[in-house]
Amino acid sequence: MKKEKLFGFINIKKKEKEEKKPKPNKNPNSQTKSESEREGMSSRGGKLSSSSSELDLDGPNIEDYLPSGSSINEPRGKLRLRDLLDISPTLTEAAGAIVDDSFTRCFKSNPPEPWNWNVYLFPLWCFGVAVRYLILFPARVVVLTIGWIIFLSSFIPVHFLLKGHDKLRKKMERVLVELMCSFFVASWTGVVKYHGPRPSIRPKQVFVANHTSMIDFIILEQMTAFAVIMQKHPGWVGLLQSTILESVGCIWFNRSEAKDREIVAKKLRDHVQGVDNNPLLIFPEGTCINNQYSVMFKKGAFELGCTVCPIAIKYNKIFVDAFWNSRKQSFTMHLLQLMTSWAVVCDVWYLEPQNLRPGETPIEFAERVRDIISVRAGLKKVPWDGYLKYSRPSPKHRERKQQSFAESVLLRLEEK
Amino acid sequence: MGNTSSMLTQYDIEEVQQHCNNAFSQQEIVSLYQRFCQLDRNGGGFISAEEFLSVPEFAVNPLSQRLLRMLDGLNFKEFVAFLSAFSPRATLQHKIEFIFKVYDSDGNGKVTFNDMLDVLHDLTGQFISEQQREQVLTHVLEEAGYTKESLLVMSDFVKILGSSGLKMEVEVPVD
């Protein structure tokens, strides 16, 4: 049933697209389809330009997937009392959502399975715990401390002494941030395999990746000094954000501040035009997902008119679950969890750069890129906006269901 | 944490099973308990309306507000009992009783014209005018041999809904 739900929305999307066609054609060939799509594009384009100043990061495409109308029977025959009283499809849907829903699944972390359940394994397991906490963990703390000492003792002089030589300073800072990230990766014995060509610095390109934890950023950053767009964090992470990472061109914002969006949108557009700027990295899901699902991509990254380079990141959960559930765990606790595990095993794929196809809307483009990443990383797609973690779905989704039910009632009433 | 599901003993499970007339197997009860703990974010042993609404698929359901009246503050036993109407093992009578309860807002065992109108309002929202809704409902009621003033009781619902197949089943995922 779950699978049906997950895959079902693709068909619904197709169906709705056909309904949107201006004139129903008896035998639609490819010509008419592309025409209608272009029409849709131009009308949407008009809407975009009017609101482009705020660069609406909330893609309006959720309703394209919502299983709207799935609970409503096809109009058949005359309306009878039983048709009005029978609310079982809607109730079934509600109960189905209570028992299991695709959105909550996205944020479910798998706790590590202790393998200490029999007499032979128990001593082995204890030995493992001792090694992890008493040998590996202190060693890693030492590595990280050395890393910080080296980093800070060279970053601070570089930052303040090379004020006049911007180019050299930028280059040095880039190398140092990459080095620091390597220390971080070493502190959880990161076994990271990178596939595909390394990103290069050039204007008019933006990298997008699926998001599991803040360590995504560290893992990518150790190879290339990306400028990243991220939520502003409190505590020591926030301090790092506003001091060190600012220097590699990272952009911070507050999810809930509408004003921040405008500023971010403007910074984004300026950043991608710069020749010498670090490549831009965006996590378009906007929130951490457990690396088994992918939620809707925000369209912001896909409206910049740049080449989009997808990056797929897949963690192997054999030793530790790299998903950071920011509601239950602080980032420090998350790092400690990683540092007391055997290793963090992960694969990173730099995928084929993609461009907006003629006649494609930014939303369709975002979906296409999500497809590419999801296939590579083996993620299941769900039709939800990740921000629903912080807010309720808008009433228009419910209104859609009401509308289709109302229409079917009225339609059947006319049949006599 | 999610690990608490292993805390359910066989006695607990059997007790819950009895409470819901064996509508769910032991494994299903364990799954439901995991889900219950997941939804009960603050770990209070019951699920509040707010916590139910955090499931977007539930929140967008036209009947969610109405169901919340039955759902708000359920503990695990009541939670399972609520869902038992959706078990494939539940009787048709049980399912119809559940639907009846959704309609019967004041719980006096009688469904009035206004009760039905309210549910229809939830289902159609602003897309049918109040007047038209009344007309439609009066029309189909009269066709089925009732009037606007009739009070429908449980046996009426059985007569109306019981004749043809009522599909109201939800599968509990078991790993």
Side-chain angles (χ1 to χ4, degrees):
Chain A
M1 181 195 158
K2 196 72 255 163
K3 263 182 198 133
E4 249 171 59
K5 231 187 217 169
L6 290 181
F7 293 110
F9 69 83
I10 298 167
N11 298 330
I12 288 163
K13 190 181 182 188
K14 248 184 227 157
K15 211 170 86 191
E16 276 181 15
K17 210 180 261 172
E18 272 163 20
E19 281 169 7
K20 269 182 213 151
K21 270 187 196 174
K23 282 167 204 163
N25 221 315
K26 262 189 184 167
N27 40 342
N29 49 38
S30 59
Q31 179 67 35
T32 57
K33 173 138 192 179
S34 72
E35 237 176 53
S36 76
E37 266 176 5
R38 216 168 296 145
E39 237 169 82
M41 165 76 178
S42 65
S43 68
R44 216 172 249 180
K47 207 174 97 195
L48 278 184
S49 61
S50 64
S51 66
S52 65
S53 59
E54 61 172 319
L55 198 109
D56 192 7
L57 286 159
D58 286 323
N61 55 339
I62 322 167
E63 58 264 36
D64 284 357
Y65 305 107
L66 270 182
S68 67
S70 61
S71 63
I72 285 86
N73 303 327
E74 289 295 305
R76 46 175 164 69
K78 220 175 71 159
L79 191 73
R80 286 161 304 154
L81 180 58
R82 85 150 266 151
D83 302 317
L84 276 193
L85 287 191
D86 183 6
I87 48 174
S88 62
T90 313
L91 291 179
T92 309
E93 240 178 51
I98 290 173
V99 170
D100 188 16
D101 77 291
S102 55
F103 186 69
T104 317
R105 280 179 170 229
C106 295
F107 307 104
K108 201 176 172 185
S109 43
N110 331 23
E113 286 264 322
W115 42 279
N116 54 0
W117 36 268
N118 85 23
V119 189
Y120 323 112
L121 289 177
F122 189 69
L124 267 178
W125 181 81
C126 287
F127 178 68
V129 169
V131 170
R132 283 193 289 128
Y133 282 84
L134 299 178
I135 301 174
L136 278 180
F137 180 65
R140 285 161 174 180
V141 171
V142 170
V143 167
L144 203 57
T145 316
I146 294 173
W148 275 114
I149 292 171
I150 295 175
F151 175 74
L152 288 177
S153 62
S154 29
F155 188 86
I156 295 171
V158 165
H159 191 74
F160 289 104
L161 294 180
L162 292 175
K163 269 261 149 74
H165 316 74
D166 262 359
K167 218 166 181 181
L168 181 67
R169 184 177 60 111
K170 263 192 173 172
K171 200 172 170 191
M172 295 280 284
E173 285 180 351
R174 208 176 275 166
V175 171
L176 282 172
V177 169
E178 285 176 17
L179 181 79
M180 189 59 227
C181 288
S182 306
F183 273 110
F184 262 112
V185 174
S187 79
W188 354 283
T189 323
V191 184
V192 189
K193 257 192 227 154
Y194 295 89
H195 311 260
R198 300 283 176 278
S200 55
I201 299 180
R202 60 174 98 136
K204 296 203 74 79
Q205 67 171 359
V206 48
F207 290 82
V208 299
N210 58 313
H211 199 18
T212 309
S213 160
M214 205 126 77
I215 69 166
D216 294 337
F217 164 70
I218 297 172
I219 284 169
L220 293 176
E221 195 83 357
Q222 82 160 335
M223 295 305 290
T224 324
F226 283 108
V228 77
I229 302 188
M230 255 193 188
Q231 160 84 19
K232 185 97 177 104
H233 285 275
W236 65 272
V237 182
L239 191 71
L240 288 190
Q241 283 179 328
S242 52
T243 53
I244 292 153
L245 292 173
E246 191 92 44
S247 68
V248 285
C250 293
I251 299 168
W252 311 111
F253 69 97
N254 224 331
R255 230 182 237 118
S256 45
E257 292 276 337
K259 223 196 279 167
D260 275 19
R261 273 190 197 175
E262 270 174 59
I263 303 166
V264 167
K266 189 173 177 312
K267 275 193 194 159
L268 272 184
R269 265 177 268 132
D270 294 344
H271 189 101
V272 289
Q273 300 301 336
V275 183
D276 197 36
N277 284 342
N278 292 326
L280 192 65
L281 173 66
I282 296 179
F283 296 107
E285 287 173 309
T287 184
C288 294
I289 313 295
N290 67 1
N291 213 233
Q292 289 170 20
Y293 294 87
S294 71
V295 297
M296 206 183 82
F297 278 14
K298 305 271 168 194
K299 66 179 162 56
F302 303 88
E303 293 182 321
L304 297 167
C306 304
T307 305
V308 171
C309 312
I311 301 175
I313 307 170
K314 182 69 177 178
Y315 292 92
N316 187 330
K317 303 204 169 178
I318 180 165
F319 295 123
V320 67
D321 185 2
F323 168 53
W324 176 35
N325 192 340
S326 57
R327 286 211 159 161
K328 287 199 176 149
Q329 229 178 7
S330 70
F331 188 61
T332 314
M333 285 313 291
H334 179 55
L335 278 186
L336 285 180
Q337 192 192 343
L338 296 177
M339 284 171 77
T340 50
S341 76
W342 289 107
V344 173
V345 185
C346 117
D347 279 288
V348 174
W349 288 275
Y350 297 104
L351 301 168
E352 198 80 16
Q354 303 290 325
N355 280 302
L356 192 75
R357 286 182 187 151
E360 197 174 37
T361 63
I363 289 167
E364 286 163 346
F365 184 32
E367 277 310 300
R368 185 157 60 83
V369 172
R370 175 152 88 115
D371 259 340
I372 295 170
I373 291 176
S374 303
V375 166
R376 182 65 267 184
L379 309 173
K380 281 179 221 140
K381 299 193 344 167
V382 297
W384 299 104
D385 179 344
Y387 279 18
L388 286 176
K389 240 168 114 176
Y390 309 98
S391 61
R392 298 270 169 272
S394 85
K396 66 181 178 212
H397 307 314
R398 169 186 313 203
E399 280 164 15
R400 246 183 131 82
K401 283 166 183 269
Q402 292 174 331
Q403 187 177 13
S404 58
F405 184 78
E407 275 164 8
S408 86
V409 165
L410 292 179
L411 209 75
R412 292 183 61 178
L413 196 69
E414 279 162 24
E415 282 179 48
K416 296 247 163 159
Chain B
M1 293 295 281
N3 261 347
T4 39
S5 58
S6 50
M7 306 287 270
L8 277 185
T9 65
Q10 208 174 356
Y11 292 114
D12 296 333
I13 294 176
E14 278 165 9
E15 196 185 325
V16 175
Q17 268 188 316
Q18 262 167 19
H19 192 70
C20 68
N21 293 320
N22 291 308
F24 294 110
S25 71
Q26 300 208 339
Q27 269 184 320
E28 284 171 333
I29 300 263
V30 171
S31 284
L32 285 175
Y33 190 64
Q34 278 165 352
R35 178 65 176 173
F36 181 85
C37 294
Q38 194 185 23
L39 290 176
D40 179 19
R41 286 229 191 106
N42 56 17
F46 62 91
I47 309 178
S48 66
E50 196 55 26
E51 284 164 336
F52 275 114
L53 285 174
S54 71
V55 176
E57 277 167 45
F58 178 76
V60 302
N61 194 290
L63 292 176
S64 57
Q65 288 302 329
R66 183 165 297 272
L67 288 173
L68 278 179
R69 275 189 232 149
M70 304 164 72
L71 279 168
D72 192 11
L74 289 194
N75 65 23
F76 181 56
K77 258 183 170 177
E78 294 158 341
F79 177 75
V80 174
F82 174 87
L83 289 171
S84 65
F86 297 92
S87 153
R89 265 162 275 181
T91 58
L92 184 63
Q93 177 80 15
H94 186 172
K95 287 176 197 287
I96 294 173
E97 236 167 75
F98 183 89
I99 294 177
F100 186 79
K101 259 191 252 163
V102 175
Y103 275 99
D104 185 15
S105 55
D106 55 2
N108 66 351
K110 291 178 188 105
V111 171
T112 64
F113 183 75
N114 276 336
D115 286 336
M116 289 185 271
L117 205 58
D118 285 346
V119 173
L120 196 58
H121 176 264
D122 285 349
L123 287 173
T124 54
Q126 56 187 8
F127 299 96
I128 297 184
S129 69
E130 196 64 39
Q131 232 180 351
Q132 208 170 4
R133 255 197 300 268
E134 277 184 43
Q135 275 173 6
V136 170
L137 195 57
T138 318
H139 174 76
V140 292
L141 270 173
E142 277 166 6
E143 241 176 35
Y146 299 94
T147 65
K148 234 180 119 170
E149 281 74 38
S150 319
L151 296 174
L152 273 68
V153 291
M154 182 58 201
S155 61
D156 292 310
F157 265 66
V158 174
K159 210 163 66 194
I160 295 163
L161 296 174
S163 51
S164 56
L166 192 66
K167 191 114 179 67
M168 203 167 97
E169 284 175 18
V170 169
E171 196 188 323
V172 178
V174 176
D175 8 78

